[in-house]
Amino acid sequence: MDTPVTLQTQRLRLRPWLPADAEPFARMNADPEVMAHYPTRLTRAQSDEQMNRLARHITETGWGLWAVEVIDIEPFIGYCGLWPATFDAPFTPAIEIGWRIARPFWGKSYAFEAAEAAMNFGFETLGLAEIVSFTTPANVRSQRLMERLGMSRNPADDFDHPRLPVGHPMRPHVLYRKSRDLS
Ligand SMILES: CC(C)(COP(=O)(O)OP(=O)(O)OC[C@H]1O[C@@H](n2cnc3c(N)ncnc32)[C@H](O)[C@@H]1OP(=O)(O)O)[C@@H](O)C(=O)NCCC(=O)NCCS
């Protein structure tokens, strides 16, 4: 077990989860616009369960999908960070970078700022050789963020997400990757 890491950027803190995050997290997970590219919105119970899982990973490893706050402005705007992709796919096991930000906080480059810090942590502190990210083709906002982070997509890497049933409209996924800059 490692000491949980907190990352700080100019405007944001990526930190371990707090009990007070549960309510705004559940609100975000019930928002149809935020959840448009996930199979379902989450009930309060599902949201709490997911929060506990994310919090536990940080407690156990020191890193993960951190709660994001805007310093001195907003105590919780969503999550961002790194997560192990362990399902069966040609590129797994891998470490994924991911994010979910509440709707009022889109369009301010918060997700980018948080993800850049998480990505640097992954390459520099964890020493990862590669970080991946994936989503459905329709999730253009997320793909724009991946591109802003310098990740690139090879259509040959597109895959069907094995945790969604065959025929599910969200099963096809695009994969973006970025390797550590060794220069
Ligand atoms: C994906 C998601 C995090 C992207 O959020 P975002 O706010 O669009 O992303 P960024 O933080 O990169 O911000 C970029 C936007 O901020 C704007 N912006 C404002 N100030 C800026 C600044 N100083 N610098 C850069 N961009 C700035 C940009 O113009 C851009 O807006 P645009 O896309 O409308 O042109 C958000 O849409 C989300 O949480 N979606 C739901 C969850 C989800 O789908 N997660 C991924 C599942 S795989």
Side-chain angles (χ1 to χ4, degrees):
M1 202 192 310
D2 289 315
T3 309
V5 168
T6 292
L7 301 176
Q8 192 155 323
T9 68
Q10 205 179 341
R11 296 178 294 173
L12 308 174
R13 193 170 288 125
L14 283 67
R15 55 157 178 78
W17 292 73
L18 298 171
D21 300 331
E23 195 168 325
F25 188 50
R27 223 179 302 128
M28 172 173 82
N29 290 331
D31 180 339
E33 201 174 356
V34 172
M35 300 306 281
H37 304 291
Y38 294 91
T40 57
R41 287 182 261 161
L42 302 188
T43 63
R44 177 65 197 246
Q46 288 168 326
S47 179
D48 288 351
E49 197 276 326
Q50 188 168 99
M51 176 173 140
N52 290 338
R53 196 148 37 92
L54 305 190
R56 201 162 50 238
H57 189 275
I58 294 180
T59 308
E60 288 171 359
T61 66
W63 56 273
L65 290 167
W66 288 275
V68 179
E69 68 179 57
V70 186
I71 297 169
D72 294 334
I73 295 181
E74 194 67 37
F76 178 85
I77 63 164
Y79 71 62
C80 182
L82 304 170
W83 192 255
T86 55
F87 53 80
D88 189 24
F91 62 93
T92 58
I95 299 293
E96 171 198 2
I97 188 162
W99 38 70
R100 190 182 301 165
I101 301 292
R103 184 66 187 92
F105 306 102
W106 295 7
K108 299 175 192 298
S109 206
Y110 286 150
F112 175 78
E113 192 171 315
E116 198 180 33
M119 188 169 250
N120 288 341
F121 173 84
F123 286 135
E124 289 163 19
T125 306
L126 297 182
L128 301 173
E130 183 183 65
I131 293 175
V132 304
S133 197
F134 43 84
T135 191
T136 57
N139 194 346
V140 172
R141 268 187 178 274
S142 209
Q143 289 173 67
R144 270 211 301 267
L145 176 50
M146 294 170 198
E147 282 160 15
R148 273 198 287 273
L149 289 164
M151 307 187 85
S152 48
R153 172 186 171 210
N154 178 349
D157 289 334
D158 291 358
F159 67 104
D160 285 338
H161 202 304
R163 292 203 174 137
L164 289 168
V166 174
H168 191 288
M170 291 182 190
R171 189 168 147 95
H173 272 61
V174 295
L175 179 73
Y176 280 72
R177 344 172 68 128
K178 183 169 166 143
S179 298
R180 180 158 32 138
D181 182 2
L182 295 172
S183 61

